[in-house]
């Protein structure tokens, strides 16, 4: 008989080794333990990336531009190049999302936060340089990391009542649905009437908005029929429809001169799909703001960044973890401290790379809606962000209207958490209600959390339940009072 000892790895052995590898992957990410599968995690990672990919396009448009005429100028007249911001946006999002997946083992994507980048572009760089503004972001991140490492951030998280955590989840659901409605043009601002309206003058008037509606219905049907990969299938199908429409109608990207165009990017297959990223902005930050505008003024800017970053992330992670079914009865989730530390590191990395503070993205809810439950989905999302640095033109193929439809579907799923709130107890009902409605109406998760914390403390104390209020809630509520009054405080200090 012929001996096969010289070939120890036959087909059976190879299959056995593959099963061992799969088992190790499963154990590391606790895939089976959390009721998921590797296929679901990979699909979820793809869906999260597709609904987050717009940040690689949008962040450069907020922080920079293609010329001095199209970019926000700092106090010295400097501006950031959109191409460079796009490169560091993809790099930081990719690296931090992978680290988050490996360390925190949660299906959350991390990228440049839209609230803070807008705050920097509109309210900060008029007084400091871009490098100094990013230095303030780095300090903000270091403080958040310190609070997380010392356990203070975890303690505050644990002190939040379970019903307020449920309200935060519901509020985020309404918030991301509202973002989807606005990004798609389904809801727009009015000039002299109500704050918002449907479409233009109360009617749907643009083809891109119709594509959003088609995508919303398509995804809704697939989710209702419990089709595996429903969101991903819906995104792909609707994007193909959008590409065909653009080929026929040539609507182009929207703007003041083209109000009927696509909201952000036209769904066109690019001729050149590969680009070399420019990382010139890495390390381009400075701590010179304290000398330029004074210690008190710079400290108030840092305080604003910390409060926004801290509670936006806390609220987002609370909502995402609850949607994923990873929370316990108190609303806490596994590896909480690690998640809070890594999120803080994302803020440091974002400032150090000049791409603005990186934080957990609400859009991760789309991947969770697809079935993602572990950090493997985050690793997939992060890898796609790193690839996107070299294929930046392809990230613009999926129009914002399609991503917006996915956000509305996920928002509807998150609102289901409202069943956990006892609205028959008004000392719970009003704080929960204010938390929920303040988020979409003020376009801020932090504002909703602040409104909920302050009213929870005051109403429950006024109704004779002061002893049941966690001491940390008093401290945080007082901090939010300062946060909401930061404008007059800043003017008073400046005077």
């Amino acid at each position: 008989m012929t001996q096969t000892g010289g070939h120890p790895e036959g087909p059976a052995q190879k299959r056995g080794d593959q099963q061992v590898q799969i088992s190790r992957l499963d154990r590391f990410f606790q895939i089976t333990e959390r009721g998921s599968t590797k296929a679901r995690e990979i699909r979820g990672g793809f869906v999260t990336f597709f609904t987050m990919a717009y940040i690689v396009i949008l962040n450069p448009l907020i922080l920079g531009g293609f010329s001095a005429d199209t970019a926000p100028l700092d106090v010295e007249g400097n501006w950031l190049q959109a191409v460079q911001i796009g490169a560091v946006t993809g790099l930081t999002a990719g690296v931090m999302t992978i680290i988050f997946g490996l360390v925190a083992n949660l299906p959350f994507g991390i990228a440049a936060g839209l609230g803070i980048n807008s705050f920097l572009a509109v309210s900060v760089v008029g007084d400091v340089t871009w490098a100094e503004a990013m230095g303030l972001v780095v300090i903000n991140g270091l403080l958040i990391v310190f609070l997380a490492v010392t356990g203070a951030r975890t303690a505050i998280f644990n002190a939040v009542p379970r019903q307020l955590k449920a309200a935060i989840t519901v509020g985020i659901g309404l918030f991301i649905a509202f973002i989807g409605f606005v990004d798609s043009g389904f809801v727009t601002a009015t000039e002299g009437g109500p704050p918002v309206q449907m479409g233009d003058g109360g009617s749907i008037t643009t083809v891109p908005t119709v594509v959003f509606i088609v995508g919303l219905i398509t995804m809704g049907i697939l989710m209702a029929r419990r089709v595996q990969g429903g969101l991903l299938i819906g995104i792909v199908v609707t994007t193909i429809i959008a590409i065909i429409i653009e080929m026929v109608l040539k609507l182009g990207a929207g703007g003041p001169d083209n109000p009927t165009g696509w909201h952000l990017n036209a769904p066109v297959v690019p001729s050149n799909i590969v680009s070399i990223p420019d990382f010139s902005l890495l390390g381009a930050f400075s701590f010179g703001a304290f000398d330029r505008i004074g210690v008190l003024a710079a400290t108030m800017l840092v305080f604003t960044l910390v409060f926004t970053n801290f509670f936006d992330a806390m609220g987002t992670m609370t909502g995402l973890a609850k949607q994923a079914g990873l929370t316990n009865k108190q609303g806490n989730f596994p590896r909480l401290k690690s998640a809070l530390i890594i999120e803080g590191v994302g803020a440091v990395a974002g400032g150090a790379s000049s791409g603005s503070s990186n934080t957990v993205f609400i859009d991760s809810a789309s991947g969770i809606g697809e079935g993602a439950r572990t950090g493997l989905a985050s690793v997939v999302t992060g890898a796609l962000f790193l690839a996107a640095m070299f294929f930046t033109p392809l990230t613009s193929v999926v129009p914002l209207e399609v991503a917006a439809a996915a956000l509305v579907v996920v928002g509807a799923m998150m609102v289901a958490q409202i069943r956990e709130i006892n609205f028959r107890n008004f000392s719970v009902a009003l704080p929960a209600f204010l938390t929920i409605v303040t988020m979409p109406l003020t376009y801020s998760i932090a504002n909703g959390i602040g409104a909920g914390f302050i009213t929870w403390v005051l109403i429950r104390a006024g109704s004779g339940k002061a002893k049941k209020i966690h001491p940390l809630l008093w401290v945080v509520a007082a901090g939010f009072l300062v946060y909401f009054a930061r404008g007059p405080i800043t003017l008073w200090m400046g005077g």
Side-chain angles (χ1 to χ4, degrees):
M1 294 178 64
T2 304
Q3 297 293 324
T4 57
H7 303 279
E9 290 194 12
Q13 180 66 40
K14 289 182 179 179
R15 285 195 300 270
D17 290 344
Q18 186 178 21
Q19 289 174 355
V20 170
Q21 293 298 322
I22 292 174
S23 178
R24 288 174 182 169
L25 184 71
D26 193 312
R27 286 198 301 270
F28 182 83
F29 288 108
Q30 301 174 308
I31 297 172
T32 301
E33 183 179 333
R34 295 187 182 180
S36 186
T37 65
K38 189 169 69 170
R40 286 183 191 172
E41 298 302 313
I42 293 173
R43 283 201 310 269
F46 269 86
V47 169
T48 295
F49 171 75
F50 282 133
T51 52
M52 287 180 62
Y54 68 87
I55 194 63
V56 180
I57 304 167
L58 188 56
N59 197 41
L61 297 180
I62 293 174
L63 294 179
F66 301 99
S67 67
D69 295 331
T70 61
L73 305 179
D74 66 18
V75 67
E76 294 183 352
N78 302 315
W79 59 282
L80 303 179
Q81 295 185 30
V83 174
Q84 295 175 333
I85 298 173
V88 296
T89 298
L91 175 66
T92 312
V95 171
M96 291 310 308
T97 301
I98 290 174
I99 292 174
F100 192 87
L102 294 174
V103 176
N105 194 25
L106 294 166
F108 304 168
I110 292 182
L114 290 176
I116 287 182
N117 60 9
S118 300
F119 175 67
L120 294 175
V122 174
S123 303
V124 177
V125 295
D127 299 318
V128 300
T129 66
W130 271 113
E132 291 163 352
M134 293 303 170
L136 295 176
V137 173
V138 171
I139 295 172
N140 146 71
L142 291 173
L143 289 173
I144 289 176
V145 171
F146 173 77
L147 292 172
V149 170
T150 57
R153 199 176 185 189
T154 305
I156 294 173
F157 192 95
N158 291 335
V160 180
R162 177 180 57 83
Q163 299 199 73
L164 266 188
K165 286 178 179 175
I168 290 170
T169 304
V170 176
I172 290 174
L174 290 180
F175 181 36
I176 65 174
F178 190 53
I179 290 174
F181 284 136
V182 172
D183 286 349
S184 65
F186 188 81
V187 169
T188 60
T190 63
E191 294 184 2
V196 294
Q197 63 180 343
M198 176 186 288
D200 183 11
S203 301
I204 303 301
T205 59
T206 69
V207 173
T209 303
V210 173
V211 170
F212 157 77
I213 296 171
V214 171
L216 180 62
I217 299 301
T218 301
M219 294 176 203
I221 292 173
L222 292 172
M223 295 298 291
R225 295 179 67 90
R226 299 185 179 181
V227 174
Q228 287 193 350
L231 279 179
L232 180 57
I233 293 171
I235 290 172
V236 173
V237 169
T238 314
T239 299
I240 292 173
I241 293 173
I243 291 172
I244 295 172
I245 289 174
E246 177 59 23
M247 290 175 60
V248 175
L249 300 181
K250 302 187 184 304
L251 300 173
D257 299 328
N258 185 24
T260 61
W262 302 91
H263 192 84
L264 177 62
N265 52 297
V268 177
V269 179
S271 55
N272 296 319
I273 63 174
V274 179
S275 62
I276 304 301
D278 182 348
F279 298 125
S280 302
L281 290 177
L282 289 176
F285 66 95
S286 163
F287 298 125
F290 292 87
D291 292 329
R292 185 181 297 274
I293 61 177
V295 174
L296 287 177
T299 300
M300 278 304 299
L301 289 176
V302 172
F303 174 81
T304 302
L305 290 171
V306 169
F307 241 73
T308 303
N309 217 148
F310 188 109
F311 289 102
D312 265 9
M314 189 191 82
T316 300
M317 285 194 277
T318 298
L320 294 176
K322 285 185 72 67
Q323 187 200 355
L326 299 176
T327 55
N328 58 23
K329 292 182 179 179
Q330 289 72 43
N332 301 328
F333 52 86
R335 303 191 190 183
L336 171 59
K337 186 174 182 178
S338 296
L340 295 174
I341 292 173
I342 298 301
E343 193 277 332
V345 173
V348 177
S353 64
S354 295
S356 186
S357 176
N358 276 230
T359 186
V360 173
F361 250 55
I362 304 173
D363 309 65
S364 307
S366 59
I368 293 172
E370 191 58 51
R373 295 295 181 268
T374 76
L376 177 58
S378 295
V379 172
V380 172
T381 301
L384 290 171
F385 265 117
L386 293 180
M389 294 187 302
F390 300 94
F391 299 95
T392 312
L394 282 179
T395 61
S396 63
V397 174
V398 180
L400 193 59
E401 286 80 1
V402 174
L407 291 182
V408 174
V409 171
V410 173
M413 296 165 64
M414 295 181 73
V415 169
Q417 295 291 331
I418 200 169
R419 65 181 179 271
E420 296 189 15
I421 303 171
N422 180 15
F423 281 100
R424 290 171 294 184
N425 182 345
F426 203 72
S427 67
V428 171
L430 185 58
F433 174 75
L434 291 176
T435 299
I436 292 169
V437 300
T438 302
M439 287 186 193
L441 293 182
T442 66
Y443 238 64
S444 168
I445 294 173
N447 286 349
I449 294 174
F453 278 18
I454 292 172
T455 52
W456 180 277
V457 167
L458 295 179
I459 292 177
R460 289 182 74 82
S463 58
K465 300 176 182 178
K467 292 182 179 180
K468 295 182 179 181
I469 301 172
H470 196 289
L472 280 176
L473 286 186
W474 287 98
V475 176
V476 175
F480 267 114
L481 287 174
V482 176
Y483 173 72
F484 288 144
R486 64 190 183 278
I489 291 173
T490 302
L491 290 175
W492 173 73
M493 289 193 306

